[in-house]
Amino acid sequence: MLSIQEVKKQTGVTVRTLRYYDQIGLLLPADKTQGGHRLYGEKEMIKLQEIQFLKSLGFSLSEIKEMLSDERDWKECLQGQLAYVINEKLKLEQIEQILQGLLNSMAIDGKIDLLEVQRLIQLYTKDPQSRETYRNQIFNKSEMELLKLLPNVNRADPDTLEWVSLLAQLKKHMHKGEGAPQVQQIIRRMFEKQEEAFGDNDEFLDKLWNVRKSPEKSKKAGFYPIEPEVLDFLEGASDIYLRNIKKGKGDSG
């Protein structure tokens, strides 16, 4: 038989916890000394290990007590706990995406306010089924696959982070005008990345831009919200870039 102090040394479970387990009927001592001190045998030590194991899986003490009393089916309990953990994991992943999206938004705008936070949370928690249904109304099957190549503001992959940086730089230099060298350099890199991802899928890109230019359509499609004035500036700067490219080709010919 082991005293409560010896159990503490072997398992790391505190005396206070062992006494509490006794009080709630979760782990009763095998016996007591004449002085009333608790004693634990091999059976109790095995049960204590089971309690610690089930606690590590997230079960509450009341659930553990019920499971160890053979009143519940272990398979059912484990399946229920697995479903709970999966659900919590999905919630944490959603929170992670929201936090990453907010960080990327701050990188783009240099600041963030409560209205922006609320708008982004609504975007990231939007029912994915309704978003996919709306996208399917606009894009065909092959174009839906291309949508997966778009940067996702709630991720931290290198491609997304570069797009975030380019958009932030563009907004920073907007006051210099659409034809400013710094702006045109940013536009050039944007076109390079667009070419790398989508090649010459002009029909798809036209559809994408049509959705992006409409705040209502963009919201329904689940796209990151960009201010209309920024999109207008981007469109104007892109037109200048394309004219310069065309002019350069004409001059070289």
Side-chain angles (χ1 to χ4, degrees), residues 29 38 45 61 81 123 127-128 158 160 190 199 208 214 235 249:
R38 296 172 177 83
M45 294 299 289
L61 293 181
Q81 188 68 3
L123 172 65
D127 178 19
T160 292
M190 286 183 169
L208 185 62
S214 167
E235 187 172 40
K249 287 182 178 179

Side-chain angles (χ1 to χ4, degrees), residues 14 34 36 66 80 94 102 134 156 166 172 175 197 211 247 251:
T14 66
Q34 290 184 350
E66 194 172 349
Q94 188 176 66
L102 292 174
Y134 181 74
L166 288 170
K172 178 181 177 181
H175 68 282
V211 174
K247 181 180 177 182
D251 292 343

